[in-house]
Amino acid sequence: MTDTQIIITLVVFAGVILAIAFDVIDLALAAMLGASILIVSGILTQQDIQNSVKTSEGMIALLFGGMVVARTLAPTGIFDKVSTLLLRATKGSGKRFLLLLIALIAPICAFLPNATAVILVAPIIIRVAIALEVDFVGPMILTAIISNSAGLLTLVGDPATYLVGSSIGMTFTQYLQKVCLGGLLSLLVLIPLLPRVMPDVWNVQRVLPADLPSEPLKRPVFCAAALAVLGLMIALFIFGEDLPTHVVPPGVAIVAASIALLVIYSMKVEPVEKVLQDVDWKTLIFLICLFWLVEAVTKTGVLHAFSRHFYAWFGTELLLVGLVMQGAIAVLSSVLANTPVVAASLIMVKGYLVVAQLVPEEALGANFTDWPVATLTVFIAMMFGATLGGNSTLIGAAANVVSAGICAKQGRRISFVTFLRYGVPITLCQLAVAALYVLGFAYFTSH
């Protein structure tokens, strides 16, 4: 790539991010225009797009499958029923509402991708917020932040953690042993922050009707079948990789979506095309184009240059490298979708480890799993940086974009600045807790 092409790539990339940040243009259109400029100028080639597809296909499959399964549940009336139960549990208190959000969303995100969880619970959150007479924008932003944070509880909870874990051969069980506790601490730190970042909801107290109606399920048999599909998806997320066929999470999402569509088709509830029309294609297109843009930035060689500089700067001080990577990826994930940031950063980190002679050159390949225990500190720090850093801005994580899209459909658009006001203070506190966990992990693995 020539110097001119590098400059064009970086300018286009920065232009897209700034256009989104300052709300100059629709985020999906901004990403598409940026990718189009790089394609027309010959910078983004067919091979680059193919490479990007290989990197992004897992996350896109997870999102698509989750959207279809969640949409299949819509005609059952289960969202109305759960909304009523949640509203009763709040007893009219905004404080109880926010705390119940954590209790509701965290277990779901332990086994489902975070954006999928947002799609599932959004109808419930919005209905309860309206009943409590509070603006649902704040609770929906919190829903995205909780889902991202709880995504650290398991390997499949967040596309970024899955990407890092799968790239080093970490299993579901190994993740629980090494990362889950840090994810739990990052989630719990939200509780003391709630009255400060959302006082307008926290301090609300409404008098609810004494006779809140219990919403009946509209199609009990179909509801049971749809919930069975959801249960199957969760079970395969947990145990699928241990099966003889080794079903990975993206494959699980597609299998579950296929069965869900088969159920809705065979029971003649809705036409399949209507379900597919309701998939949030705009979010999927935005993320695909963003992956293309990151592929172009990777192609400039800037990240590979940092691989060499990292060794010159830090030598083999892996704890220091891990903390620096956590902070750097968190910053990048605040202005980019965290998954493509992680995809690019993995190239840089593995290159650094090879240059430092801590792993052989084969580690740059896709099938290398013999990572020294000391190197896990760096990869775990990357997981925290990517997942928690994505909490700070509207475009930092897929769940954030999905949450904004849902609010827009309900007539309440979330601006970049609005999300920033909630996300930044929460993210800074979570990153501090994560850094302490990384320090503890490094200490105990070295003794």
Side-chain angles (χ1 to χ4, degrees), residues 55 163 294 298 303 339-349 382:
T55 304
L163 188 58
V294 171
T298 304
L303 295 175
T339 308
V341 167
V342 167
S345 299
L346 278 170
I347 298 171
M348 183 178 72
V349 168
M382 289 175 65

Side-chain angles (χ1 to χ4, degrees), residues 139-311:
M140 281 301 298
I141 291 176
L142 180 62
T143 297
I145 290 173
I146 294 170
S147 69
N148 294 333
S149 307
L152 283 163
L153 295 176
T154 68
L155 182 63
V156 300
D158 186 278
T161 55
Y162 175 74
L163 188 58
V164 176
S166 61
S167 74
I168 61 174
M170 182 180 284
T171 66
F172 194 94
T173 304
Q174 289 171 336
Y175 184 95
L176 293 179
Q177 295 170 344
K178 300 179 188 301
V179 190
C180 180
L181 177 59
L184 179 61
L185 295 174
S186 301
L187 185 64
L188 292 177
V189 78
L190 287 172
I191 295 175
L193 295 175
L194 291 176
R196 292 168 176 80
V197 296
M198 294 189 180
D200 53 329
V201 179
W202 182 269
N203 296 320
V204 162
Q205 183 63 58
R206 307 294 185 203
V207 178
L208 299 179
D211 55 343
L212 281 173
S214 179
E215 300 289 342
L217 293 177
K218 297 175 182 176
R219 298 177 175 88
V221 176
F222 171 67
C223 181
L227 289 174
V229 174
L230 178 61
L232 175 65
M233 183 165 70
I234 293 173
L236 287 177
F237 274 140
I238 301 172
F239 304 111
E241 293 187 78
D242 296 326
L243 296 175
T245 51
H246 190 64
V247 185
V248 294
V252 170
I254 296 301
V255 169
S258 302
I259 297 174
L261 290 174
L262 178 61
V263 169
I264 208 166
Y265 173 79
S266 60
M267 299 185 75
K268 302 186 185 306
V269 176
E270 286 183 289
V272 170
E273 57 267 25
K274 189 175 188 305
V275 176
L276 293 177
Q277 283 173 0
D278 289 340
V279 168
D280 190 356
W281 294 106
K282 175 182 170 180
T283 296
L284 296 180
I285 291 170
F286 167 70
L287 292 171
I288 289 170
C289 289
L290 203 56
F291 266 99
W292 290 3
L293 292 170
V294 171
E295 180 67 26
V297 172
T298 304
K299 189 179 175 181
T300 63
V302 172
L303 295 175
H304 290 289
F306 271 109
S307 298
R308 295 189 294 273
H309 290 313
F310 253 57
Y311 181 61

Side-chain angles (χ1 to χ4, degrees), residues 355-389:
V355 171
Q357 298 182 350
L358 296 170
V359 292
E361 197 165 337
E362 289 78 12
L364 297 175
N367 299 318
F368 184 83
T369 58
D370 191 20
W371 298 95
V373 174
T375 64
L376 294 181
T377 300
V378 180
F379 292 113
I380 290 174
M382 289 175 65
M383 291 179 182
F384 285 119
T387 303
L388 299 176

Side-chain angles (χ1 to χ4, degrees), residues 57-74 79 108 111-123 156-157 159 226 229-231 233-234 237 249-261 275-276 278-281 283-284 398 402 406:
E57 60 187 1
M59 186 193 72
I60 298 301
L62 282 169
L63 286 176
F64 172 77
M67 288 175 181
V68 171
V69 172
R71 174 58 181 79
T72 305
L73 286 166
F79 294 125
I108 297 174
F111 303 106
L112 290 178
N114 49 10
T116 302
V118 170
I119 296 166
L120 282 171
V121 302
V156 300
V229 174
L230 178 61
M233 183 165 70
I234 293 173
F237 274 140
V252 170
I254 296 301
V255 169
S258 302
I259 297 174
L261 290 174
V275 176
L276 293 177
D278 289 340
V279 168
D280 190 356
W281 294 106
T283 296
L284 296 180
V402 169
I406 292 170

Side-chain angles (χ1 to χ4, degrees), residues 141-142 145 190 193 197-198 388-394 400 416-431:
I141 291 176
L142 180 62
I145 290 173
L190 287 172
L193 295 175
V197 296
M198 294 189 180
L388 299 176
N391 277 338
S392 57
T393 68
L394 177 64
N400 306 359
F416 195 90
V417 174
T418 298
F419 199 105
L420 208 66
R421 190 171 68 248
Y422 294 104
V424 169
I426 290 175
T427 301
L428 291 175
C429 293
Q430 288 183 313
L431 287 172

Side-chain angles (χ1 to χ4, degrees), residues 392-415:
S392 57
T393 68
L394 177 64
I395 59 173
N400 306 359
V401 180
V402 169
S403 180
I406 292 170
C407 287
K409 287 184 177 180
Q410 297 294 322
R412 290 287 287 115
R413 192 169 158 278
I414 299 177
S415 71

